[in-house]
Amino acid sequence: MIVRRRWTAAATTVILFSAVLSHPASGAAAPADPAAPISLSATETALVRVQLRDQAQLDRLVATGADLANRPRARDGRILADLVLSGTQLDELTAQGATAVQIVQRAGDGNRHYADSVRAAQARTAAGLRAPAAGQRSTAAATAVDTLQVQQAYWWTTTGQTFLQAQVATTATDDPDVEITVSWRTADGATGSFPLYRFEDSGEYQYHYALPQPVPSRPVQLTATSSLGGVSRAVTPTLWPNASPPPLPAGYQKDFIDAYLTPVDIQARIKRLARQHRDLVDVIDLPNKTQGYRRNAVGYLGDPAVAALVVESVRFGDQNMNGVQVRTVDPGRANRPLTVGYRDRVLTVSLATDTAGKTVSTTDEVAAAINARQPDRFRAIVEDGSAGLPMPVAGPTRLDDGLQGTEVPARPWTVQALRLGVHRDGSRVGVLAYSQEHAREWATPLVTLEFAERMLANARTDPATRELLEQVDIFVIPTVNPDGANYSFNDFNFQRKNLVNHCTGAARDPKNRTSWGVDINRNYTVGSYFDGYVGASANCLSGNYAGTAELSEAESGNVIALAQDHPNIKFAMNVHSYGGYFMWPPGAYRADGRVTLPRPSIDESTLFLNSARRIVGAIAQERGTVTWPSQTGPVADVLYSAAGNSADQLYYELGIFAWDFEVGNDRWNPATNQWEGVGFQPPFDEAHGESQEYAGGLVEMVRVARDYAAEAAAD
């Protein structure tokens, strides 16, 4: 089956099977036991790694707005995709021929992992794609010979196991049945081979590839052959990333992360760092306050299974609207008109009656009356399936915003950035690290805060760190999207977007509450949905909803405002999770012909790649984690098209070398010989490991910036 992904920029209805598919979340879980099929209860939700039946099934998922956690992968001729599914959805997908192979995280796991991490911290304190079937041959003429080019051949060793990854392109781009096999030889004479799988994107052939393959030792030769007779020249695989940071000095301080951190926790830590390091820290209040952890109060008036309205407060629930009552009453007299009144926090709708005294108002009439007579307080919509039905006598029902986080301040939120350095005046090259654009990515602020803590703590004891803070001006936004993050921690841990609800009409039904919001990383101005690029949606319930306009959201505006206000910023890293990627622009393309945003110049492309090697090498120093070469490169090439992402705006409009991390690399399981996902909210031990290794990567980015500035000054 061909791994074709046809991402469309057109608005789509984001209803898959019987419900909306969005918001992947995660955690580490054991691989599925083949003897015990994976299943969920009907109402349970989980992030599931699914083997899809065929390409058509993947195409349907994409077309309906499924929120894919990372690029669907080919493994042994099968397409694997990470999706958030309810039990009902998983059953329907299974009935259509898919197979669940791993539950990465169940819905409650994130909250359990957060609680576990907090308890552990307290204890610590107290203690001190496509492959043809075997034997299948191309339908092209047997005498045809294609030309093969090895695009990638890299090897590395981690935790005692050596891996080899290859990527090969054929000139027979239009033949979907071309088989390509890689053969390898090690220095001690061992040999082996493995198949590659065809990868297409937006209907365009890209190359053949495979996930990293275990080999017994360092490979010294690689050759590719095709079923059409093509043979590549022999190449010597290159060590990846073949770069290492300087060794840490004795006494170097690290490991400042004890638990998952909510936005409230992060706010407190920013305040503490500013107090402890007054000579090295400024706190910047970013200009656009977010909505805050707030929603409109809402409730059903009537029985949704029979006839009902959705009644919603115009103001947020915390603005004295939680607990307001709504009711319909029978006036008890004949020939009475439909009336609406509000008194003592009770909205009363008196239904119209006929000559016999029977109530005759319809749901549509009652909704229209509420909207016309109380427009400053309430809005009403007719529940799906209730249009034109008699409105029953119902209520009183209490409106409520549905938010569970009692410890979260219910007010607009001021997003804060840390500014670190000896010279915080714009005279030094600037570096920006920002995280948690996506609310569910709990591990990402752990990375940026560990980085900030390391720089500050070591400034007084390590001359190399002090030198970096003399030469570089560092900016850190630990949580770009605090409202969504608060919602993820307290209400729905799969939440990806912010809390602003731009939906209208039936989409505002509270049954959709976990699908409201704007994807902050689709709300920027370059290569956006509004410009016709792929990878975002106009559907307000989609996981990658782009918003009402470019930079419509306070959160995206804050990132750009910080960069614009500090033109010395020349490097930026957007920290996401999960999957283990290292990426840079272009991040988006148009569907017709897969036309990307303009490619960086040769010199800038070289800087991106060489810097990536250094940073990937620094990440690997912590626990041997290696970001795969196939997942290192431009976003549009190694992940997917992400219309309106922040890195593209920073690079194309502001001239900043902008990268993206996807922390949380797949882990190799030698018992199963499989790569396994870890997800957005793994058990804290894994999240802690991610914070340590990727913080090291951010320190190396600071060194990259320092070296760049020194070279520029020397020219």
Side-chain angles (χ1 to χ4, degrees):
M1 45 206 158
I2 303 171
V3 183
R4 283 196 192 97
R5 294 186 298 112
R6 299 186 181 90
W7 303 93
T8 59
T12 57
T13 302
V14 195
I15 304 298
L16 180 63
F17 318 122
S18 57
V20 175
L21 257 185
S22 61
H23 316 302
S26 66
D33 178 356
I38 292 172
S39 63
L40 303 172
S41 65
T43 58
E44 187 179 8
T45 302
L47 173 63
V48 186
R49 182 160 288 183
V50 179
Q51 176 187 321
L52 300 178
R53 182 190 65 197
D54 54 23
Q55 178 60 38
Q57 194 169 47
L58 175 61
D59 288 345
R60 284 194 297 274
L61 290 168
V62 172
T64 52
D67 191 348
L68 297 170
N70 48 35
R71 187 175 82 179
R73 296 169 175 173
R75 187 183 74 191
D76 302 331
R78 300 170 293 167
I79 300 175
L80 299 178
D82 291 4
L83 297 163
V84 164
L85 301 166
S86 69
T88 299
Q89 292 169 338
L90 179 58
D91 289 345
E92 292 173 357
L93 201 58
T94 301
Q96 296 167 8
T99 303
V101 298
Q102 181 192 0
I103 292 183
V104 185
Q105 181 191 356
R106 297 177 187 269
D109 289 351
N111 305 93
R112 176 168 55 81
H113 297 159
Y114 170 62
D116 289 346
S117 77
V118 172
R119 284 193 293 269
Q122 291 170 341
R124 178 174 173 176
T125 300
L129 310 144
R130 172 176 169 117
Q136 181 179 343
R137 301 293 294 179
S138 169
T139 57
T143 57
V145 177
D146 58 340
T147 299
L148 301 182
Q149 173 66 28
V150 178
Q151 295 180 330
Q152 287 188 0
Y154 291 107
W155 70 275
W156 63 91
T157 299
T158 179
T159 60
Q161 175 64 61
T162 300
F163 294 94
L164 171 65
Q165 185 162 51
Q167 183 175 297
V168 179
T170 173
T171 54
T173 59
D174 295 333
D175 186 343
D177 296 322
V178 176
E179 302 175 30
I180 296 180
T181 300
V182 160
S183 298
W184 51 264
R185 177 172 59 83
T186 65
D188 58 4
T191 60
S193 64
F194 55 86
L196 302 184
Y197 305 100
R198 181 182 176 96
F199 174 60
E200 292 190 7
D201 190 18
S202 193
E204 301 285 335
Y205 171 76
Q206 303 298 304
Y207 44 74
H208 282 66
Y209 84 112
L211 301 185
Q213 302 293 306
V215 293
S217 60
R218 175 174 66 91
V220 296
Q221 182 174 297
L222 179 145
T223 306
T225 59
S226 85
S227 56
L228 296 180
V231 179
S232 76
R233 68 179 186 272
V235 300
T236 301
T238 303
L239 177 63
W240 175 264
N242 200 23
S244 298
L248 297 177
Y252 186 86
Q253 300 175 72
K254 60 179 185 175
D255 196 0
F256 297 93
I257 299 301
D258 297 320
Y260 277 121
L261 300 173
T262 70
V264 175
D265 300 329
I266 291 169
Q267 198 173 58
R269 184 166 291 215
I270 288 173
K271 184 177 181 180
R272 189 257 293 167
L273 290 175
R275 184 177 65 250
Q276 288 182 342
H277 304 277
R278 298 180 188 276
D279 59 326
L280 295 174
V281 173
D282 292 331
V283 176
I284 302 172
D285 290 340
L286 299 182
N288 306 305
K289 289 182 180 292
T290 69
Q291 172 180 290
Y293 180 66
R294 304 191 296 175
R295 278 189 166 168
N296 307 85
V298 64
Y300 291 107
L301 182 59
D303 183 351
V306 180
L309 304 180
V310 174
V311 181
E312 179 184 28
S313 65
V314 171
R315 298 198 304 271
F316 293 118
D318 67 289
Q319 295 175 310
N320 204 35
M321 297 305 291
N322 282 331
V324 165
Q325 299 181 65
V326 182
R327 61 177 182 163
T328 54
V329 298
D330 182 344
R333 297 168 60 190
N335 296 318
R336 305 305 299 171
L338 175 64
T339 63
V340 177
Y342 181 69
R343 182 177 179 180
D344 298 332
R345 289 172 48 82
V346 178
L347 176 68
T348 300
V349 179
S350 181
L351 302 175
T353 57
D354 60 13
T355 56
K358 179 183 177 181
T359 59
V360 293
S361 299
T362 66
T363 53
D364 303 80
E365 291 168 341
V366 171
I370 293 173
N371 293 332
R373 299 170 195 176
Q374 291 289 329
D376 296 333
R377 291 193 178 96
F378 303 98
R379 63 175 67 93
I381 60 172
V382 179
E383 171 69 2
D384 285 346
S386 295
L389 296 179
M391 185 68 205
V393 173
T397 186
R398 290 184 178 274
L399 305 188
D400 189 84
D401 60 18
L403 299 176
Q404 304 300 311
T406 57
E407 297 179 0
V408 181
R411 60 175 181 269
W413 194 281
T414 299
V415 179
Q416 293 181 314
L418 287 162
R419 186 177 190 177
L420 319 178
V422 175
H423 306 284
R424 303 183 301 281
D425 55 6
S427 63
R428 303 297 192 269
V429 63
V431 168
L432 168 62
Y434 58 111
S435 50
Q436 208 167 30
E437 281 185 325
H438 292 146
R440 64 196 178 193
E441 297 172 4
W442 293 3
T444 62
L446 307 186
V447 173
T448 50
L449 283 170
E450 171 70 19
F451 162 62
E453 293 261 20
R454 287 187 188 185
M455 298 302 298
L456 294 171
N458 290 290
R460 292 175 173 82
T461 58
D462 174 34
T465 300
R466 182 72 183 189
E467 182 183 13
L468 286 176
L469 287 175
E470 288 273 2
Q471 296 173 331
V472 182
D473 194 359
I474 300 172
F475 300 82
V476 179
I477 310 175
T479 178
V480 171
N481 179 11
D483 301 346
N486 279 320
Y487 191 73
S488 179
F489 273 101
N490 291 283
D491 302 273
F492 180 64
N493 62 310
F494 293 169
Q495 177 76 8
R496 170 183 170 94
K497 303 185 284 183
N498 70 1
L499 284 196
V500 177
N501 184 4
H502 292 301
C503 290
T504 59
R508 294 188 73 92
D509 190 310
K511 69 185 180 185
N512 298 319
R513 66 172 59 249
T514 58
S515 296
W516 294 332
V518 175
D519 182 345
I520 300 305
N521 205 33
R522 299 297 183 273
N523 190 237
Y524 295 88
T525 66
V526 174
S528 73
Y529 166 85
F530 306 97
D531 297 328
Y533 285 80
V534 171
S537 174
N539 188 314
C540 70
L541 299 179
S542 169
N544 56 11
Y545 172 51
T548 57
E550 295 170 350
L551 293 180
S552 62
E553 306 308 298
E555 295 88 347
S556 54
N558 281 330
V559 173
I560 299 306
L562 180 67
Q564 290 175 332
D565 290 347
H566 301 89
N568 63 316
I569 295 176
K570 297 301 179 185
F571 293 84
M573 184 69 75
N574 186 5
V575 184
H576 284 273
S577 74
Y578 67 101
Y581 292 79
F582 190 103
M583 302 173 291
W584 55 85
Y589 55 71
R590 296 178 187 272
D592 293 341
R594 198 184 178 279
V595 179
T596 69
L597 289 163
R599 298 280 174 170
S601 68
I602 293 175
D603 287 343
E604 290 188 342
S605 295
T606 300
L607 185 148
F608 275 126
L609 180 57
N610 289 344
S611 302
R613 286 178 179 271
R614 291 177 57 176
I615 296 170
V616 169
I619 294 166
Q621 288 294 101
E622 180 67 29
R623 55 174 183 166
T625 298
V626 175
T627 298
W628 305 342
S630 66
Q631 296 186 171
T632 302
V635 175
D637 296 340
V638 304
L639 186 61
Y640 43 58
S641 180
N645 70 83
S646 55
D648 280 346
Q649 184 170 0
L650 293 176
Y651 172 67
Y652 291 102
E653 284 194 351
L654 301 179
I656 296 170
F657 292 105
W659 287 293
D660 301 275
F661 279 156
E662 291 277 352
V663 310
N665 303 53
D666 277 14
R667 315 305 295 178
W668 177 252
N669 186 335
T672 62
N673 284 330
Q674 301 291 348
W675 293 99
E676 296 173 356
V678 298
F680 300 115
Q681 300 154 17
F684 180 69
D685 284 350
E686 168 61 26
H688 174 265
E690 294 168 17
S691 74
Q692 300 305 300
E693 61 194 1
Y694 278 88
L698 290 177
V699 173
E700 185 63 21
M701 183 177 70
V702 175
R703 296 191 188 103
V704 168
R706 175 202 59 193
D707 296 345
Y708 172 85
E711 291 172 7
D715 290 342

